[in-house]
Amino acid sequence: MSDQTITSVSREHRVFRPSAEFQRQANLGSYSAYKKLYAESVNAPEKFWTRQGKELLSWRKPFKQALRWKLPHAKWFVGGQLNVAENCLDRHLGTARENKAAIIFEGEPGDIRTLTYKQLHREVCRFANVLAKLEVSKGDRVAIYMPMVPEAAIAMLACARLGAIHTVIFGGFSSEAIKDRVNDCQAKVVITADGGWRRGKVVELKSNVDRAVAATPSVKSVVVLKRTGNPVTMTEGRDLWWHDLVAQVPAEHKARGFDSENPLFILYTSGSTGKPKGVLHTSAGYLLGTTITSKYVFDLKDTDVYFCTADIGWITGHSYVVYGPLANGATVLMYEGAPNQPGPDRFWEMIDRHGVTIFYTAPTAIRAFMRWGDDHVKKHSLRSLRLLGSVGEPINPEAWMWYHTLIGKKRCPIVDTWWQTETGAIMVSPLPGVTPTKPGSCTLPFFGVIPKVLDEAGKEVPRGSGGKLFLKSPWPSMLRTLWGDDERFKRQYWSELPGYYFAGDGARIDEDGYLWVVGRIDDVLNVSGHRIGTAEVESALVSHPSVAEAAVVGRPDELKGQALVVFVIVKTGIEATKELREELRSHVAKEIGSLARPDDVRFAAGLPKTRSGKIMRRILKEIAAGGEVKGDTTTLEDFSVVAALQAQEE
Ligand code: 7RM
């Protein structure tokens, strides 16, 4: 075995096929149709994307050329002009969709508000007029630091309507994080709220903004939405109430068309080291990527009620709460708060009450539902559901089976969607009416995507072996650069292997051509010369009945290269004993072989995670090695978790 590949230890072989019933009604319902379209998309990409671009988007000025590719810089739909907000809103007006719900909003306290396409359009027009009055125009940056309320989507779409660039900063981030991001992109306006509801408490957004903008000279105005009624300090000449501003402007706004490559947004994402990267997405290609994937991966229909639990501060919230679903004229359920407020069954209760048909969430959330116990689920019928989705990390087969059985009642296909902030849209995923699924695999590439798993020398690894995941050839929703740092863009994504996009993930392709992502390359474990992905070891741990969640990292070890340190959260009601510790070590050895027997099992109350639920193994590595936690921690959800883990150390 070569030292360059990743050893696979997974033993998952179950296969689940879409039902004939689902297949019959699907937007794409046959394997041969998928094969044919996929072949065209990779053999004649310009032809394929020209047709999709014309069919799925509304243009102010038709494009001349689908792609101009000067590696690593792409221009999609060259010469074309459109308005992204018009594509999400105006084009549904005057059709049967104009009075259907675009957004059904539910606040954490239980307040419900529905905005039809016509109403949402009016609100976006009003707010575009507000921003224009604040002198926001094409190319200007606007920071959005808001709770999950319709006004967050309205603010994004109003920016898009004006050709301005939004940067959404997750509402859980600190004032430090706001300051860094706003300064990096030189935002002119910050849009925030007097607070948002989370676990029955008010998240103090405005005071965080106040602390940040004390050190952001580019900011001229702060717009404040009244959401909670929580008292805030308004600074004269800078801070303005949302409701005052919209009352002074008309609900009509004449939109302009913008160039296909006009920047749409910057979204900051943490690198493993150094400062956050400002991933830049542009207009037409991004919109097409999110529109076409929403249509085929989520099989969106006019009758659906689609619920994606992601916050808009994450790329998933951009692509699959706002742009993709709205461009398809779908009904989106948007929820403000925590999944366990007032009880652990909030989502299931909401699904029944709103008749949700499509549910898209993350493995970390699924493992939390499992930990809280099946009874909370069983109280609800979940009859309306027809399709489930997963995103954010590899889903362990244990969680997949639970999702399939308890939530999907064995009749809903699961789409495990692999993609990134940088890819803009879903890259690898089952199509629900087409692809037989295997628990833990994101299966096959979407149209136009050519995934390659390669070794250090850039050679394709044999089927079943692991290596680094690359994407060959450009795709419409790809990132265009990193804001203000094109060198870093080239270095980070296009230098690992010339001509290929480097995803930073470890993966393998199995005998059926299915893709399995085994974790971030930076996190790959190296035990006695064997390279093992974190996902497979963690998956073995959570297959033990006492374990709710696990994270594994390597600690430098003279003998083995790396010793395996695992952090384990036990299920509710389970005691963390010495015996359990030994049992878990043996369990892993039994499941995947003695080479992966953990050297050290540590019980924890929580794991350091990003807001989208990704475990920050970099931090655990530092803790396991007994060192200080260094590097950027602004994307950490809850720093107290780190403090608790460190205290345990001492
Ligand atoms: C959408 C999103 C990207 C990273 C990516 C992977 C991991 C995401 C899956 C997954 C296995 C999946 N954007 N990842 N989805 N790994 N299976 N279905 O998460 O920029 O925040 O993260 O997330 O490591 O590179 S992101």
Side-chain angles (χ1 to χ4, degrees):
M1 192 202 63
S2 129
D3 183 36
Q4 316 290 6
T5 61
I6 299 174
T7 307
S8 175
V9 290
S10 163
R11 289 179 188 167
E12 182 55 56
H13 291 295
R14 289 169 284 200
V15 177
F16 297 83
R17 283 166 211 289
S19 68
E21 193 193 341
F22 194 98
Q23 209 159 8
R24 256 197 308 278
Q25 62 77 58
N27 287 344
L28 201 90
S30 86
Y31 194 74
S32 58
Y34 162 72
K35 280 288 263 205
K36 201 168 147 230
L37 280 169
Y38 179 76
E40 187 202 1
S41 75
V42 298
N43 297 327
E46 299 227 13
K47 180 162 166 259
F48 177 85
W49 289 117
T50 295
R51 190 175 70 248
Q52 300 300 339
K54 285 183 184 166
E55 268 176 28
L56 294 175
L57 302 182
S58 296
W59 296 87
R60 284 293 190 101
K61 190 175 154 212
F63 57 90
K64 291 201 179 72
Q65 193 185 351
L67 170 66
R68 195 171 295 162
W69 180 223
K70 261 180 76 190
L71 197 135
H73 294 113
K75 285 196 165 84
W76 283 90
F77 305 110
V78 182
Q81 284 189 357
L82 50 58
N83 186 295
V84 170
E86 269 186 354
N87 272 273
C88 293
L89 301 169
D90 305 50
R91 68 164 157 164
H92 306 310
L93 305 184
T95 77
R97 282 175 181 151
E98 79 176 354
N99 292 316
K100 80 175 265 197
I103 297 178
I104 303 173
F105 166 72
E106 182 160 321
E108 190 179 81
D111 51 318
I112 294 173
R113 191 154 45 115
T114 299
L115 287 155
T116 64
Y117 272 94
K118 205 189 231 169
Q119 291 167 328
L120 182 61
H121 174 257
R122 288 171 64 85
E123 297 303 323
V124 169
C125 286
R126 269 192 206 285
F127 202 66
N129 286 323
V130 165
L131 289 176
K133 255 175 102 174
L134 298 176
E135 291 175 356
V136 171
S137 60
K138 177 172 128 58
D140 287 340
R141 277 80 60 206
V142 173
I144 299 175
Y145 182 68
M146 294 182 86
M148 271 296 277
V149 294
E151 284 77 5
I154 291 166
M156 291 163 77
L157 289 161
C159 290
R161 197 169 186 91
L162 294 173
I165 307 173
H166 60 69
T167 184
V168 181
I169 302 168
F170 179 67
F173 286 167
S174 62
S175 53
E176 248 334 269
I178 306 171
K179 188 191 79 190
D180 290 350
R181 287 156 179 73
V182 166
N183 279 334
D184 187 74
C185 71
Q186 293 286 293
K188 210 176 200 176
V189 173
V190 178
I191 305 165
T192 187
D194 63 351
W197 292 104
R198 184 96 191 160
R199 284 202 187 88
K201 292 203 189 75
V202 173
V203 182
E204 307 253 350
L205 300 167
K206 177 63 166 64
S207 49
N208 285 342
V209 168
D210 289 342
R211 269 192 300 277
V213 295
T216 59
S218 62
V219 174
K220 300 289 172 272
S221 327
V222 175
V223 179
V224 188
L225 176 78
K226 190 168 254 171
R227 163 68 188 141
T228 59
N230 182 48
V232 293
T233 318
M234 298 292 279
T235 299
E236 185 75 40
R238 186 195 71 192
D239 298 356
L240 305 152
W241 285 107
W242 177 295
H243 57 264
D244 288 340
L245 293 169
V246 294
Q248 297 161 17
V249 294
E252 292 81 42
H253 176 266
K254 239 174 98 125
R256 280 169 55 194
F258 295 100
D259 198 85
S260 293
E261 285 297 332
N262 194 47
L264 181 62
F265 65 86
I266 302 166
L267 185 57
Y268 287 90
T269 177
S270 56
S272 45
T273 51
K275 68 176 182 111
K277 303 173 284 198
V279 170
L280 182 76
H281 282 289
T282 59
S283 299
Y286 171 80
L287 187 64
L288 182 61
T290 54
T291 304
I292 188 172
T293 48
S294 296
K295 176 174 172 181
Y296 291 117
V297 176
F298 297 120
D299 193 46
L300 279 177
K301 304 278 163 44
D302 267 318
T303 45
D304 279 311
V305 178
Y306 163 88
F307 181 19
C308 168
T309 66
D311 192 279
I312 40 133
W314 183 22
I315 188 67
T316 309
H318 287 59
S319 301
Y320 298 111
V321 175
V322 181
Y323 293 110
L326 295 180
N328 278 282
T331 295
V332 177
L333 174 63
M334 187 177 188
Y335 171 59
E336 176 186 34
N340 54 352
Q341 184 69 26
D345 62 340
R346 179 64 181 263
F347 283 176
W348 322 128
E349 192 260 331
M350 279 173 59
I351 287 172
D352 275 4
R353 201 153 31 72
H354 293 285
V356 171
T357 56
I358 304 170
F359 180 65
Y360 190 32
T361 196
T364 177
I366 297 170
R367 287 191 297 272
F369 306 144
M370 293 170 75
R371 184 163 81 232
W372 297 335
D374 298 358
D375 291 348
H376 300 294
V377 180
K378 289 179 178 157
K379 279 193 286 192
H380 305 278
S381 96
L382 306 182
R383 200 180 299 124
S384 55
L385 288 174
R386 67 179 193 93
L387 176 60
L388 304 175
S390 171
V391 59
E393 21 159 8
I395 180 167
N396 49 299
E398 205 70 18
W400 197 103
M401 288 306 299
W402 185 91
Y403 202 28
H404 170 71
T405 313
L406 269 285
I407 308 302
K409 314 291 182 202
K410 301 190 179 163
R411 60 182 169 72
C412 302
I414 296 178
V415 289
D416 174 1
T417 60
W418 178 86
W419 60 293
Q420 308 178 298
T421 305
E422 293 86 345
T423 69
I426 293 167
M427 295 284 105
V428 182
S429 168
L431 296 183
V434 170
T435 321
T437 50
K438 304 183 188 185
S441 168
C442 54
T443 75
L444 301 174
F446 190 75
F447 304 136
V449 178
I450 309 175
K452 293 275 178 201
V453 177
L454 307 175
D455 67 15
E456 297 295 323
K459 283 222 333 258
E460 248 170 272
V461 300
R463 287 281 162 104
S465 309
K468 290 179 176 171
L469 178 58
F470 292 87
L471 300 177
K472 198 184 164 201
S473 74
W475 62 97
S477 63
M478 66 199 285
L479 82 164
R480 298 303 193 261
T481 189
L482 293 175
W483 183 258
D485 201 348
D486 199 53
E487 284 311 308
R488 191 175 179 194
F489 163 72
K490 292 181 195 155
R491 197 168 62 236
Q492 184 91 37
Y493 304 107
W494 299 95
S495 301
E496 192 73 17
L497 185 65
Y500 288 79
Y501 169 83
F502 177 47
D505 283 347
R508 74 187 153 86
I509 295 180
D510 73 12
E511 61 281 7
D512 297 320
Y514 277 38
L515 190 77
W516 300 72
V517 173
V518 300
R520 299 292 296 171
I521 274 292
D522 298 340
D523 296 334
V524 166
L525 308 160
N526 196 332
V527 195
S528 312
H530 294 273
R531 287 158 54 80
I532 308 172
T534 49
E536 295 189 335
V537 179
E538 288 161 7
S539 170
L541 278 157
V542 288
S543 74
H544 188 281
S546 301
V547 176
E549 184 118 48
V552 54
V553 296
R555 178 184 63 206
D557 183 277
E558 272 183 29
L559 233 54
K560 301 204 277 184
Q562 274 184 347
L564 293 197
V565 179
V566 306
F567 294 82
V568 166
I569 301 177
V570 292
K571 282 197 182 142
T572 314
I574 300 287
E575 228 184 303
T577 60
K578 232 173 107 187
E579 289 70 38
L580 180 60
R581 189 173 278 147
E582 282 316 306
E583 200 180 309
L584 292 177
R585 296 183 64 217
S586 316
H587 176 75
V588 175
K590 184 176 107 253
E591 287 293 304
I592 59 186
S594 54
L595 88 128
R597 182 192 296 273
D599 297 273
D600 196 351
V601 176
R602 303 190 189 181
F603 294 112
L607 297 171
K609 287 187 182 174
T610 66
R611 286 293 167 152
S612 66
K614 292 185 191 11
I615 297 167
M616 294 176 81
R617 291 183 189 75
R618 158 173 71 84
I619 291 178
L620 290 176
K621 240 180 264 179
E622 289 167 338
I623 293 171
E628 217 185 305
V629 173
K630 296 186 286 278
D632 179 48
T633 51
T634 59
T635 55
L636 189 65
E637 192 203 13
D638 177 5
F639 196 82
S640 72
V641 167
V642 175
L645 288 168
Q646 279 176 323
Q648 215 173 27
E649 268 315 275
E650 286 148 14

